[in-house]
Amino acid sequence: MNVTDKTKPETRDRFLLNPYTDWTAAQGIPVYEGFGVDMLACETQPWDFTEANGALIHLNGRGDYVSVFLHDLPPGGKTRPMGHCFEEIFYVLEGHGSTRVTLTDGTEHTFEWGPKALFSVPLNTPYQLFNGSGREVAKLSSTTNLPMMLKLFHNDAFVFDNPFRFTEREGLSEFYQGEGVLTPRTPGRHTWETNFIADLEQFELREWEARGKGCSNMMIIMADGTMHAHASEMPVGTYKKGHRHGPDFHVFCVRGEGYSVFWYEGEEEENYERFDWKHGWVFAPPEQMFHLHFNKGKEPCRYAATALGSLRYPFSDVKEAGFRGNDVSFKDGGAQLEYQDQPFRCHLDFLIELEKVGVKSEMGDYIDEAPYIKAIAAMKKDGTLSVPA
Ligand SMILES: [Fe+2]
């Protein structure tokens, strides 16, 4: 028996293959890795796949199924007309432009976007991105499930050149005009269904106090997809309760300035990771790493998150359980760390941050701040802390 398939272009051992990694290597564009990335500082290169410029963002916490593309359209530029069997949620970082989508019945929808717009094109529906400016670049990120699709089918033609159309996902024409359908549920489970949100900064959220002081949120269903999105906000002088979950939630800052702290259970406090962010940054909490998001600025802090597994189609039992119990305390079998159970350092560092920018903590009705104020006074006295006036 001839065990070497001579018809294949490659003769390497067909063992432990990763078709997404192979695809990545063939793109010839920069790949950025790490805990998080400032996408506005990333360099891009011409990318045959889109016929614009691009880079790939592969964060430590991306998991097995999700990756992020960075699209960079030069002034007056556009992508080639595309359509593909992977889902993609776009978030506009800078610039202005439009997206043209062609539905199965030939109807064309064109919607115009600017910074902080969020949109998704139904699976394998033809679309094209245009930079509407002759002077400025347009940069967009997109969270994709291409790793999952290539690993599953390992056939480029199926994923990138597939005639099948998912007509049932196309949705209402209003979904391409920035309108949507609100389905009220309980806090943290209200959903907004659409294909396009013109400005996430102005997007209306609903109260979700169980996730943190003054916290608000909206879960988002886009293009009837399995990819998830949500938006959350923390008022000035507050932060969200900590929690942990599986990988692949990618967090995009929309408004304000914040930071997040990460640690694994049992880790020494001096080894906690801190990550500061503002618009343009994306980060992904790694598998089961505790994390807290803090507002460290003078305006409300808002972010969007994307992942695989939506409120409509959670995809995995773990994601479904996470969405069902996303504000259940650790001691009740959930994954949320109540304020009184978090490490002392979390609130201490937060108060020090606020003092630096002259913002008053609004957390006093959840946490007895006296021990922290005392600790800060002692640190100032012994010279281990100096906070500018
Ligand atoms: Fe999280």
Side-chain angles (χ1 to χ4, degrees), residues 211 230 243-245 249 251 285 289 291 293 303:
R211 275 295 289 129
H230 69 256
H243 70 175
R244 65 179 183 178
H245 45 68
F249 279 94
V251 182
M289 204 169 185
H291 49 280
H293 304 311
Y303 62 81

Side-chain angles (χ1 to χ4, degrees), residues 374-385:
K374 200 172 158 188
I376 289 171
M379 289 164 76
K380 284 179 181 170
K381 197 172 175 188
D382 68 19
T384 53
L385 173 68

Side-chain angles (χ1 to χ4, degrees), residues 17-26 58 62 150-151:
L17 300 181
N18 184 332
Y20 178 72
T21 303
D22 291 345
W23 180 85
T24 295
H58 290 167
R62 70 187 183 281
L150 281 177
K151 287 173 183 178

Side-chain angles (χ1 to χ4, degrees), residues 196-226:
F196 170 50
I197 294 170
D199 184 358
L200 266 186
E201 191 168 319
Q202 303 301 324
F203 178 57
E204 188 181 331
L205 307 181
R206 295 280 178 106
E207 170 273 315
W208 191 13
E209 190 74 15
R211 275 295 289 129
K213 170 73 189 284
C215 177
S216 55
N217 164 279
M218 183 61 72
M219 298 297 188
I220 303 165
I221 310 264
M222 303 203 96
D224 195 34
T226 309

Side-chain angles (χ1 to χ4, degrees), residues 127-244:
Y127 71 99
Q128 195 168 9
L129 307 181
F130 300 87
N131 183 344
S133 167
R135 287 178 291 119
E136 296 173 341
V137 300
K139 291 187 180 179
L140 306 88
S141 69
S142 64
T143 315
T144 86
N145 65 348
L146 181 61
M148 179 179 87
M149 300 304 279
L150 281 177
K151 287 173 183 178
L152 183 60
F153 295 105
H154 44 87
N155 182 308
D156 284 7
F158 183 90
V159 176
F160 301 120
D161 187 19
N162 188 329
F164 188 84
R165 297 294 297 270
F166 296 82
T167 310
E168 77 285 359
R169 296 194 186 207
E170 292 176 351
L172 306 174
S173 59
E174 290 84 354
F175 289 177
Y176 301 89
Q177 294 155 13
E179 295 165 31
V181 173
L182 174 70
T183 302
R185 296 190 175 90
T186 52
R189 292 157 196 86
H190 305 302
T191 57
W192 178 256
E193 180 172 7
T194 188
N195 295 348
F196 170 50
I197 294 170
D199 184 358
L200 266 186
E201 191 168 319
Q202 303 301 324
F203 178 57
E204 188 181 331
L205 307 181
R206 295 280 178 106
E207 170 273 315
W208 191 13
E209 190 74 15
R211 275 295 289 129
K213 170 73 189 284
C215 177
S216 55
N217 164 279
M218 183 61 72
M219 298 297 188
I220 303 165
I221 310 264
M222 303 203 96
D224 195 34
T226 309
M227 295 294 293
H228 165 82
H230 69 256
S232 293
E233 186 166 302
M234 298 173 278
V236 176
T238 72
Y239 58 93
K240 286 183 78 168
K241 293 176 185 175
H243 70 175
R244 65 179 183 178

Side-chain angles (χ1 to χ4, degrees), residues 272-287:
Y272 287 11
E273 299 251 15
R274 172 176 163 151
F275 191 80
D276 290 59
W277 38 267
K278 58 186 178 181
H279 175 68
W281 286 82
V282 60
F283 63 92
E287 167 92 35

